[in-house]
Amino acid sequence: MTTRTTTTTRNTTPRAADGARRGVLAVDEGTTGTRAGVVLDSGAVDEVFYQPIRVSHPDPLSVEQDPMEIWTATLDVCRRALNHAREEGVEVTAVALTTQRATAILWDRVTGLPLLPAVVWQDRRYAREMLAYEAEWDQVLLARTGRPVGSRAPYLWAARQIERRPEVAAAHREGRLLFGTVDTWLIWQLTGGATHATTATNACSTGGYLLREHAWDLEWIGHQGFPTQLLPDLRADDADFGVTDADTLGVAVPLAASMGDQHAALLALGGLRAGDGMCVYGTGAFVDVTTGAEPALPRPDISGVLAQPGWRQGDTTRYSLEGYSPTIGSALRWLCDELGMFGSPREIGELAAQGRRGTRRNRPTFVPALAGIRVPLWRPEATGALTGLSLATTKADIARAVLEGIAHSVADLVDGVAATMGAPFRQLTVGGGVSGSDQLLRIQADLLGMPLERAADSATASLRGSAYLAGVSTGLWSSLEEVVHAQPAGQTYQPELDEDDRAEGRAAWHALFGDHLGEPLPRVDPPRADPAHDGPQTTAPPAAGTPHRDSRS
């Protein structure tokens, strides 16, 4: 069957009554580059400026960046965006930050210079040491921080530097040492050293954030040897972080919001109500869903789904769940660049439309587990596979198998997140570079049995999310709903596969893994329309099975 697609539009926010154009300077500091652009009062981004950032790998386990390069790249793109705004007659009324999460930095408050390279969120140098904490701490942390011990170790890393490096120890002894994640570093720089703070959506990814209390988990952080007096001030995502330093940035305006990247994207892509979710298809795939005013805690029988604040606005937190698959876009690049099987990811999508459907007995299957499986169980030893080949197999058949494998992997994420939430997704908005494939999204809608909307401007979602929060706090918009609902809708993909065929396809996929994944997760059916209800009907999750954990969170 052919999947129908539809495109709709929504009204846009009008200009201010005086006719002036206003906007928020938004920064998106990612792992490999920094972007900045002015988000206008319509909610759209004017023009985006980009500067790449180097990532170094001193050894197989270490991942580092230069904090000064992060800062100078951020300053460069901000100045270019501000110059463009002036040329276009746009008044910038606030600044908003979106940043990579859990990348840690130590610096000297007197000189303003970093003492060491930043340790990036992907770093695994202390993963083995963290294993020693699992038996005692995993269940404790799952209940109060929404994630297990994991392998990220920003606090253990900082404690080791204070212990072993004389220059760091001296700065600590003399009261000159500052610690923070990338958001803290940029807030401090942009305010001329006036504010040393972080936010809920950044703190949570370090593993030291108490979900319900909006506070540091001092017991766990201190247990790793970290001096807790070095922790930055913990604030809401839309807090008043002070005024930007005019001598540094060129303007003195409120720094009015700071968010982690996936949280900002969830907000911009419409995740305002419980059950509203998103999937960003990039190098990997992130599936996030808003769960409401109370956290939906991880289940011990579903690994890799983490609880976190979706965003904290004033004194109110809206919580979310997140699942992640590491090899989506990277699998496409591997097939194209390393194996040379296809000329480009676009070619895979075009050929996939010609590939055969039918039972798995007469066509190939691709499993994109090139870096293990994370959801619903963590299986780091799992490997990718291309099976079911015969002399009748065509290149188009393989292309279709690749997209189906990606779609099944994302369906596993959605099923894992929904089962953890104990309720279905209300809606799912998708974005990211790989979501540009119409054929992939047709397959995805069929395997999920629910419609998908590809966002009209998913590439700037993380920029826009923090800007929306800043704009509401400074009066540019009256509410998040006003600006989010004013954005144009994208293309919608309706499922066309009947339920029996969908169930058969999903069962065949899980059968590929034998007993490695245990029993498939129970199906959480899409919700029936209920306009009077502002969230999904929640049901109690099935009883927990044998505990499993995700050591890469």
Side-chain angles (χ1 to χ4, degrees):
M1 299 180 188
T2 302
T3 306
R4 294 189 301 271
T5 61
T6 59
T7 303
T8 58
T9 59
R10 305 186 182 102
N11 293 329
T12 58
T13 304
R15 288 190 184 183
D18 61 5
R21 301 179 68 195
R22 300 188 179 96
V24 175
L25 173 63
V27 177
D28 182 8
E29 200 293 307
T31 308
T32 57
T34 298
R35 300 182 299 164
V38 174
V39 179
L40 302 172
D41 49 12
S42 66
V45 183
D46 187 6
E47 184 170 344
V48 177
F49 299 87
Y50 177 79
Q51 181 70 30
I53 299 172
R54 291 185 297 270
V55 180
S56 63
H57 302 268
D59 58 64
L61 296 177
S62 299
V63 187
E64 296 179 344
Q65 289 185 301
D66 179 356
M68 287 306 298
E69 184 181 5
I70 291 174
W71 165 234
T72 56
T74 300
L75 192 58
D76 174 67
V77 293
C78 283
R79 287 173 172 169
R80 288 158 63 191
L82 286 170
N83 285 337
H84 179 74
R86 280 190 288 269
E87 292 170 357
E88 296 296 316
V90 177
E91 177 190 358
V92 172
T93 59
V95 172
L97 286 176
T98 298
T99 57
Q100 55 170 304
R101 301 172 292 182
T103 293
I105 301 170
L106 288 167
W107 71 97
D108 189 317
R109 74 162 68 240
V110 176
T111 66
L113 297 175
L115 295 167
L116 298 163
V119 59
V120 178
W121 58 274
Q122 299 160 314
D123 192 276
R124 296 293 181 266
R125 73 186 73 179
Y126 293 111
R128 288 190 177 276
E129 290 189 52
M130 298 299 283
L131 289 173
Y133 295 125
E134 291 178 5
E136 178 184 359
W137 284 93
D138 258 3
Q139 297 308 311
V140 173
L141 294 177
L142 282 168
R144 66 195 198 190
T145 70
R147 58 187 63 219
V149 168
S151 60
R152 288 181 188 165
Y155 304 113
L156 182 60
W157 167 77
R160 290 286 188 271
Q161 309 318 305
I162 294 170
E163 174 188 331
R164 298 172 181 174
R165 292 181 178 267
E167 70 277 21
V168 180
H172 176 46
R173 188 170 56 251
E174 297 166 12
R176 294 183 286 110
L177 186 63
L178 290 177
F179 166 86
T181 43
V182 169
D183 63 311
T184 308
W185 167 246
L186 293 180
I187 290 169
W188 191 83
Q189 292 285 4
L190 286 167
T191 60
T195 304
H196 179 235
T198 190
T199 67
T201 56
N202 282 288
C204 69
S205 289
T206 68
Y209 178 78
L210 297 173
L211 284 175
R212 292 185 175 88
E213 295 86 347
H214 179 59
W216 292 113
D217 190 334
L218 298 178
E219 182 186 12
W220 167 235
I221 295 170
H223 188 74
Q224 299 172 66
F226 181 87
T228 56
Q229 67 271 22
L230 292 180
L231 289 167
D233 207 16
L234 185 55
R235 303 186 184 182
D237 295 296
D238 68 342
D240 177 5
F241 298 98
V243 175
T244 59
D245 180 46
D247 291 337
T248 300
L249 190 60
V251 293
V253 294
L255 204 171
S258 177
M259 300 186 74
D261 48 10
Q262 298 303 321
H263 310 258
L266 175 63
L267 194 158
L269 292 178
L272 299 181
R273 305 172 302 173
D276 291 346
M278 71 157 200
C279 177
V280 174
Y281 298 80
T283 300
F286 284 90
V287 169
D288 291 71
V289 66
T290 301
T291 58
E294 289 293 325
L297 294 177
R299 284 173 42 173
D301 58 330
I302 303 176
S303 174
V305 178
L306 306 176
Q308 55 195 18
W311 66 92
R312 185 170 176 86
Q313 191 175 18
D315 295 329
T316 302
T317 298
R318 298 291 284 180
Y319 294 95
S320 67
L321 289 168
E322 181 173 283
Y324 170 62
S325 177
T327 47
I328 300 299
S330 55
L332 298 179
R333 287 194 297 272
W334 174 74
L335 288 165
C336 297
D337 299 341
E338 298 300 325
L339 299 190
M341 292 181 66
F342 303 95
S344 67
R346 179 184 292 274
E347 181 188 356
I348 296 176
E350 293 170 349
L351 283 172
Q354 307 167 27
R356 288 178 297 168
R357 302 184 183 188
T359 67
R360 296 194 181 277
R361 291 189 299 273
N362 60 15
R363 62 191 182 89
T365 299
F366 177 67
V367 180
L370 302 177
I373 297 171
R374 297 173 184 248
V375 178
L377 300 181
W378 170 230
R379 291 293 180 262
E381 72 282 1
T383 57
L386 179 60
T387 64
L389 304 180
S390 72
L391 291 176
T393 300
T394 67
K395 194 173 184 179
D397 293 335
I398 295 175
R400 183 172 181 85
V402 168
L403 294 194
E404 287 182 343
I406 289 173
H408 274 294
S409 297
V410 170
D412 288 343
L413 292 178
V414 172
D415 287 349
V417 170
T420 301
M421 181 169 55
F425 280 60
R426 236 184 206 280
Q427 64 182 35
L428 184 62
T429 305
V430 302
V434 180
S435 73
S437 169
D438 291 333
Q439 190 61 32
L440 171 61
L441 296 191
R442 293 185 182 107
I443 296 169
Q444 190 72 78
D446 279 343
L447 293 183
L448 289 175
M450 66 180 294
L452 312 175
E453 180 187 340
R454 180 168 59 201
D457 186 9
S458 65
T460 65
S462 50
L463 269 175
R464 292 185 287 113
S466 60
Y468 293 169
L469 207 57
V472 171
S473 70
T474 56
L476 191 60
W477 301 288
S478 63
S479 67
L480 290 172
E481 287 77 9
E482 177 195 349
V483 61
V484 169
H485 293 161
Q487 301 316 299
Q491 198 166 11
T492 299
Y493 297 79
Q494 298 287 349
E496 290 291 336
L497 200 63
D498 64 49
E499 181 59 25
D500 288 343
D501 288 342
R502 189 204 67 79
E504 180 183 355
R506 293 291 288 144
W509 168 259
H510 288 124
L512 292 171
F513 300 93
D515 296 329
H516 294 296
L517 293 183
E519 292 297 319
L521 293 172
R523 170 71 171 168
V524 182
D525 291 325
R528 292 188 178 92
D530 183 5
H533 186 61
D534 187 37
Q537 294 289 345
T538 57
T539 57
T546 304
H548 296 282
R549 54 166 317 284
D550 184 344
S551 62
R552 298 101 18 253
S553 60

